[in-house]
Amino acid sequence: MNTIRVDSSRRLGARLGAAVALLGVLVLTACSAGSPREERAGQAGQERSGRAGGVSDASAGAEVADAVRTVKGGCGETEIREGAPPGWNPEPAGFSDSAAGLPYVVGAHDQIMGYLWEHPMTPKAAALGDGGDGGDGNKVLWYVRSAREGKPLTIRAHPRGAERPVVELSVPADSGPGEIYPSDIAVPRPGCWTFELSWAGHRDEVDLKFLAEKGAS
């Protein structure tokens, strides 16, 4: 009888062990089943954060776009802008007040920019202060991205798409503050003119439109 009771106890113990083992497997399965849900929740949070960051970036881009405006009067490959200057010239030297309302152009290679004192421009042969009208002529204040190194700004202008006529001008590096060249542009006839600009081994170009007279299109 004792032997029979021992065998029964052993069988009962084995069954209890199997039940405990099965319970452990079920607990582990439940834990591991929760991991994908947590992972999906984390991914959703990351996606929401990414979308929020994207909106923020877009808003920042819109603010930058709003800070620069394109205005009428450009020609060829060059547009006329107003507002914030290029990033490489954030605070143009020589201005006591903001130049945000002054139109400007930027070279095709982003190496030069020029503020236009007269816009739109007209063909004028008179230099600054020599026209008898007290105006600024076709004054352009050029800013160069690379140092002048004491070298002049050489300007060669011709009608866009044509080789002649040619207007040539050399502006000395004797103005300041900053890397600037003030020039007075004179061309013999209206139209879209290409200006090839070079200084201290650097080059860029802009297209500028000249009207026959104010109010013409």
Side-chain angles (χ1 to χ4, degrees), residues 134-159:
D136 287 333
N138 289 329
K139 179 181 177 181
V140 180
L141 180 58
W142 302 102
Y143 287 79
V144 294
R145 188 169 184 171
S146 302
R148 299 180 297 182
E149 299 179 1
K151 305 297 183 181
L153 174 68
T154 300
I155 301 175
R156 183 179 184 274
H158 56 84

Side-chain angles (χ1 to χ4, degrees), residues 76 99 113:
M113 70 168 295

Side-chain angles (χ1 to χ4, degrees), residues 83 85 89-102 115 117 141 143 177:
N89 190 27
E91 298 181 0
F95 285 95
S96 57
D97 297 321
S98 172
L102 195 61
Y115 280 107
W117 253 250
L141 180 58
Y143 287 79

Side-chain angles (χ1 to χ4, degrees), residues 22-166:
L22 178 59
L23 180 61
V25 170
L26 291 174
V27 171
L28 289 176
T29 302
C31 292
S32 61
S35 298
R37 287 195 294 271
E38 294 174 0
E39 184 177 351
R40 286 193 295 271
Q43 289 174 348
Q46 291 175 357
E47 289 174 359
R48 286 193 296 272
S49 299
R51 286 194 296 270
V55 170
S56 177
D57 293 343
S59 299
E63 291 176 1
V64 172
D66 290 342
V68 180
R69 301 174 297 279
T70 300
V71 298
K72 294 181 180 180
C75 75
E77 299 296 325
T78 304
E79 61 185 18
I80 308 295
R81 304 176 185 176
E82 287 183 355
W88 54 266
N89 190 27
E91 298 181 0
F95 285 95
S96 57
D97 297 321
S98 172
L102 195 61
Y104 69 88
V105 293
V106 178
H109 305 296
D110 199 28
Q111 297 300 308
I112 193 169
M113 70 168 295
Y115 280 107
L116 311 179
W117 253 250
E118 184 171 339
H119 174 66
M121 294 190 288
T122 58
K124 288 185 178 181
L128 175 63
D130 192 29
D133 58 2
D136 287 333
N138 289 329
K139 179 181 177 181
V140 180
L141 180 58
W142 302 102
Y143 287 79
V144 294
R145 188 169 184 171
S146 302
R148 299 180 297 182
E149 299 179 1
K151 305 297 183 181
L153 174 68
T154 300
I155 301 175
R156 183 179 184 274
H158 56 84
R160 178 174 168 80
E163 294 297 327
R164 295 287 186 273
V166 174

Side-chain angles (χ1 to χ4, degrees), residues 4 6 9-10 15 36 44-45 54 77 82 87 156 183 200:
I4 293 173
V6 169
S9 298
R10 287 177 179 175
R15 290 174 182 173
E77 299 296 325
E82 287 183 355
R156 183 179 184 274
S183 67

Side-chain angles (χ1 to χ4, degrees), residues 185-203:
I185 306 299
V187 296
R189 68 189 190 201
C192 185
W193 287 68
T194 296
F195 283 72
E196 300 169 354
L197 308 120
S198 59
W199 68 99
H202 307 284
R203 302 179 65 86

